[in-house]
Amino acid sequence: MSDSATAKPSNPNVPFEDVPELRGPLSNGCFVRPANGMTSMFYRYEPTDGQWYWTPDPAQAFWMPCTTLLVSQGKWEGKKPAYFNVSIIEWLNATRQAPPADMPVVELSYLQADFAANPPAPRASDAAKINAALGTSNVQSTSVVRGERDVADGQLDKERVGVKDTVVIKDCHNCTYTLTTYCTKLHMDDCTDITIKVDGANGGKIVSAVVEMYKCERVNLEFGSAVKTLQADGCDTVSSPRSRAATKSAKSATRAKSTRSAAAATTPKKRN
């Protein structure tokens, strides 16, 4: 595709407006979807065949063409990237646009810091789903972690989470996250085999003391600061050893509500 078809980016580190998560180039000509405390994904364009390639390998020892969504080797062999990288891969494969030739070279550390400070705005579809889950229209006050797999030490720190943010963790599986900063509330949706640690000793705190979970399985919660309300709807196997009182209270409230509903349904109405 010709260079004239390539949209001119407003951010000097963004090659294509349609995929603002993609940043670069690095000194070796590669681009990256930066990540803090997780795996950054690298991308490179090969002009000889007009194709994009991608790799999660920090050493960039192997690459997959954007015609595939599975890692071919290494510790992630056979795994599919997180949804946001899937979107980038699919877009690059569909358009096969060459990156602009006059972009300034930047360091990965700069891109990581810039991405944390200036993240791309949520897509309309993502914003609608988040609003529906939280019952709010203020999507800008959320920090969203979505579609991640096998994250052993995900950091929810001040670079990723704002003091007024509700942390939303959605569709994540086999992951561990540690909160080391303030947030307003924690909301989890459709997650399995997940551990959430609130590290109060290092500044982690949920200001509202409210944690909400929906359709989650095998959740381990380790609270190092106060959590007064734990709401679990449609969840299975929630372990919270440091907040048993909150867990018991939440279960009792749910059980009492169900009992009242059943009694109301079976008690005949008195006739005057």
Side-chain angles (χ1 to χ4, degrees), residues 12-31:
N13 303 128
V14 175
F16 308 116
E17 290 288 359
D18 289 342
V19 280
E21 300 95 336
L22 189 63
R23 308 288 173 95
L26 303 176
S27 59
N28 62 359
C30 294
F31 292 81

Side-chain angles (χ1 to χ4, degrees), residues 54-257:
W54 61 278
T55 183
D57 181 22
Q60 301 175 24
F62 62 90
W63 295 83
M64 283 70 61
C66 283
T67 53
T68 183
L69 294 175
L70 296 179
V71 180
S72 63
Q73 56 185 291
K75 66 178 181 179
W76 298 286
E77 182 176 358
K79 295 187 180 296
K80 188 177 181 179
Y83 81 102
F84 41 80
N85 278 309
V86 168
S87 296
I88 296 174
I89 292 169
E90 290 179 338
W91 190 91
L92 293 174
N93 184 57
T95 62
R96 303 202 178 193
Q97 293 190 29
D102 56 350
M103 296 185 67
V105 173
V106 288
E107 296 291 330
L108 177 59
S109 59
Y110 171 82
L111 291 176
Q112 290 173 326
D114 180 62
F115 192 87
N118 303 290
R123 295 182 178 88
S125 58
D126 289 343
K129 292 176 181 177
I130 295 167
N131 290 345
L134 297 176
T136 177
S137 60
N138 192 15
V139 70
Q140 293 182 343
S141 64
T142 60
S143 177
V144 182
V145 180
R146 181 174 178 182
E148 296 186 349
R149 304 290 188 273
D150 304 316
V151 176
D153 187 24
Q155 295 298 309
L156 302 175
D157 53 22
K158 63 182 180 180
E159 293 186 354
R160 194 174 187 186
V161 178
V163 173
K164 297 182 179 180
D165 285 357
T166 290
V167 176
V168 179
I169 302 178
K170 181 175 177 61
D171 188 28
C172 293
H173 306 279
N174 192 31
C175 297
T176 296
Y177 298 102
T178 302
L179 178 70
T180 57
T181 187
Y182 279 34
C183 72
T184 298
K185 183 169 68 172
L186 174 64
H187 178 91
M188 299 168 59
D189 186 351
D190 194 24
C191 297
T192 60
D193 299 304
I194 188 165
T195 294
I196 303 296
K197 302 177 182 179
V198 180
D199 189 353
N202 288 299
K205 183 177 182 179
I206 302 173
V207 176
S208 68
V210 174
V211 175
E212 300 173 341
M213 294 180 289
Y214 179 67
K215 290 187 177 180
C216 295
E217 297 181 4
R218 298 181 296 281
V219 180
N220 181 45
L221 302 172
E222 299 180 14
F223 297 143
S225 63
V227 171
K228 297 180 180 179
T229 303
L230 176 59
Q231 180 177 335
D233 295 328
C235 297
D236 181 38
T237 314
V238 178
S239 173
S240 181
R242 298 192 65 181
S243 59
R244 291 175 181 173
T247 304
K248 183 177 180 181
S249 176
K251 288 183 177 179
S252 297
T254 302
R255 187 161 49 245
K257 183 178 180 181

Side-chain angles (χ1 to χ4, degrees), residues 254-271:
T254 302
R255 187 161 49 245
K257 183 178 180 181
S258 299
T259 302
R260 288 195 299 270
S261 298
T266 56
T267 302
K269 294 182 179 178
K270 293 182 179 180
R271 295 183 180 179

